[in-house]
């Protein structure tokens, strides 16, 4: 009887130890495997780029529905508001615009005071040139794709808790009106004294590039060492150099630029659209059924270890280059 009692005590001790550890035995790590799935990306895309949202023009009923969808996604996945609510509102003449901002707190007592900003613009142009009776410019690639990528990164890090630095998921309106939403938010965050380290804007990542090219490219590639650092942690060249980016002035044309201006920090846009691989820029045929969901899923999954490495390095590895 005494021997049986000893065995029971041992079993209890072992089971308690297993509960306190993850599958790999690491204390505090969740045993739940966090995955980014193509079907989840497709579900978000089929709503955000649906006719119901009428092209998501800033100030429209459609963009209000998009904002509510994003807010509910944040709530469902434990992404907290950074401000008193998820909305960062501003006025453009008589139009009310609002960015949607969520936060994932870092896990390191010191590094969590430094912020990584991930973003994309969730507005689009509303109506476009009529083609076969269709006038709704749904904006699937531009930029529901980048918006969804940022949302998926938010979900992943909120669940995995593998970010030592804190993260802001920032989704902008009024990009199509001249980067007005991101300019408002960048100014507000700077004036509030946010300790911002880096910023990445995801812009049109819904279609793959040629197999001979890197999966994605970064605007303003030579302005910092951001791309090499990300590729180091990814273990491959996920983010490459696009020669025409400078010719097209892409660094200044996307929502990274206001953050660069306000914070003078590494702030870039990452894209997989290179003006040769998608014919429907600002076109009514920029629709959900033309997106490559396997490509989008691969892009997000390849970027996760790249972001983790940068978020968790003990020092600020990413720096601006001398121009």
């Amino acid at each position: 009887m005494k021997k049986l009692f000893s065995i029971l005590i041992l079993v209890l001790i072992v089971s308690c130890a297993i509960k306190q550890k993850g599958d790999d035995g690491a204390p505090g790590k969740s045993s739940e495997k966090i995955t980014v799935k193509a079907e989840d990306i497709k579900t978000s895309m089929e709503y955000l780029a649906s006719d119901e949202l009428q092209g998501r023009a800033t100030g429209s009923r459609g963009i209000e529905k998009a904002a509510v969808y994003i807010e509910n996604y944040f709530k469902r996945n434990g992404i907290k508001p950074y401000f008193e609510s998820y909305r960062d509102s501003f006025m453009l003449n008589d139009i009310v615009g609002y960015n949607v901002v969520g936060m994932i707190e870092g896990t390191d007592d010191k590094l969590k005071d430094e912020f990584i900003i991930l973003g994309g613009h969730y507005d689009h142009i509303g109506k476009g040139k009529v083609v076969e009776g269709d006038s709704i410019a749904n904006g699937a690639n531009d930029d529901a794709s980048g918006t969804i990528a940022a949302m998926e990164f938010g979900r992943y890090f909120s669940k995995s808790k593998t970010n030592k630095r804190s993260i802001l998921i920032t989704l902008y309106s009024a990009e199509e009106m001249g980067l007005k939403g991101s300019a408002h938010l960048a100014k507000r965050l700077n004036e509030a004294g946010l300790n911002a380290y880096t910023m990445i804007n995801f812009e049109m990542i819904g279609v793959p590039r040629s197999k001979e090219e890197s999966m994605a490219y970064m605007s303003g590639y030579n302005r910092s060492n951001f791309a090499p650092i990300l590729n180091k942690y990814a273990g491959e060249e996920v983010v490459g150099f696009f020669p025409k980016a400078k010719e097209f002035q892409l660094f200044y044309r996307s929502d990274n630029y206001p953050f660069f201006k306000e914070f003078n920090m590494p702030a870039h846009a990452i894209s997989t659209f290179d003006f040769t691989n998608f014919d429907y820029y600002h076109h009514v045929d920029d629709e959900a059924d033309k997106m490559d969901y396997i490509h989008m899923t691969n892009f997000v999954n390849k970027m996760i270890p790249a972001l983790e490495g940068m978020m968790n390095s003990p020092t600020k590895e990413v720096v601006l280059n001398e121009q």
Side-chain angles (χ1 to χ4, degrees):
M1 187 72 178
K2 189 181 289 185
K3 186 175 182 183
L4 178 61
F5 182 75
S6 299
I7 291 170
L8 286 171
I9 293 294
L10 182 60
V11 168
L12 280 171
I13 291 169
V14 171
S15 65
C16 286
I18 290 170
K19 284 181 182 179
Q20 289 174 349
K21 296 185 177 185
D23 288 345
D24 60 354
K29 185 177 282 188
S30 170
S31 60
E32 179 189 0
K33 183 172 175 60
I34 312 301
T35 57
V36 175
K37 299 176 182 176
E39 54 263 38
D40 294 335
I41 291 175
K42 186 178 181 183
T43 296
S44 291
M45 180 65 75
E46 287 181 342
Y47 182 72
L48 291 176
S50 67
D51 284 356
E52 180 184 341
L53 271 60
Q54 294 288 301
R56 307 189 309 276
T58 299
S60 69
R61 291 182 180 179
I63 201 168
E64 165 65 20
K65 291 181 178 181
V68 170
Y69 181 88
I70 295 165
E71 288 170 324
N72 287 336
Y73 180 97
F74 283 1
K75 289 173 190 173
R76 247 186 355 261
N77 290 291
I79 301 168
K80 298 177 181 178
Y82 179 70
F83 301 113
E84 60 278 4
S85 74
Y86 287 113
R87 297 197 186 191
D88 165 48
S89 300
F90 55 93
M91 294 296 299
L92 291 170
N93 298 320
D94 59 344
I95 295 175
V96 179
Y98 30 83
N99 305 308
V100 184
V101 184
M103 184 186 89
I104 302 104
E105 187 176 21
T107 60
D108 184 272
D109 287 342
K110 292 182 179 178
L111 293 178
K112 71 179 182 181
D113 293 331
E114 299 172 6
F115 281 79
I116 310 298
I117 301 171
L118 305 179
H121 72 93
Y122 75 104
D123 71 310
H124 198 231
I125 61 173
K127 298 295 178 71
K129 183 179 178 181
V130 178
V131 177
E132 296 181 357
D134 184 7
S135 64
I136 300 172
N138 300 86
N141 195 40
D142 185 16
D143 185 34
S145 65
T147 294
I148 293 165
M151 290 164 62
E152 287 291 331
F153 290 128
R155 183 184 71 86
Y156 175 85
F157 286 109
S158 177
K159 301 289 187 183
S160 70
K161 304 189 187 309
T162 53
N163 56 296
K164 292 183 178 181
R165 290 181 171 86
S166 294
I167 305 167
L168 287 187
I169 305 297
T170 56
L171 302 173
Y172 321 112
S173 64
E175 188 271 356
E176 301 288 0
M177 301 173 75
L179 314 182
K180 300 297 186 184
S182 54
H184 177 271
L185 179 60
K187 188 173 187 291
R188 181 179 182 183
L189 292 173
N190 193 21
E191 288 176 348
L194 183 81
N195 185 4
Y197 170 26
T198 60
M199 187 274 180
I200 300 177
N201 179 56
F202 298 98
E203 180 73 77
M204 294 187 279
I205 57 92
V207 291
R209 303 180 76 201
S210 165
K211 291 181 180 179
E212 292 74 40
E213 305 289 348
S214 57
M215 173 177 267
Y217 66 87
M218 178 174 277
S219 68
Y221 186 96
N222 292 319
R223 288 177 173 270
S224 76
N225 65 340
F226 215 145
I229 293 294
L230 290 176
N231 291 333
K232 176 180 76 171
Y233 288 118
E236 61 180 288
E237 187 182 83
V238 177
V239 182
F241 176 72
F242 179 41
K244 291 197 172 185
K246 188 171 183 179
E247 176 189 336
F248 295 156
Q249 297 287 289
L250 298 185
F251 182 77
Y252 305 98
R253 291 172 55 188
S254 198
D255 289 304
N256 59 288
Y257 183 59
F259 288 91
F260 171 76
K261 276 180 62 179
E262 285 289 338
F263 289 95
N264 192 35
M265 68 176 178
H268 302 261
I270 293 179
S271 181
T272 69
F273 166 68
D274 60 14
F275 301 88
T276 68
N277 57 347
F278 192 65
D279 295 330
Y280 305 113
Y281 174 68
H282 282 191
H283 192 286
V284 297
D285 287 335
D286 183 4
E287 304 219 38
D289 62 2
K290 292 182 173 60
M291 297 298 95
D292 187 323
Y293 296 106
I294 300 301
H295 156 73
M296 290 180 68
T297 306
N298 288 340
F299 171 78
V300 172
N301 283 322
K302 284 177 182 289
M303 282 295 299
I304 284 171
L307 293 173
E308 278 179 336
M310 181 263 297
M311 290 171 179
N312 296 332
S313 64
T315 59
K316 291 183 177 180
E317 295 179 294
V318 181
V319 295
L320 291 172
N321 294 329
E322 291 185 14
Q323 294 295 306

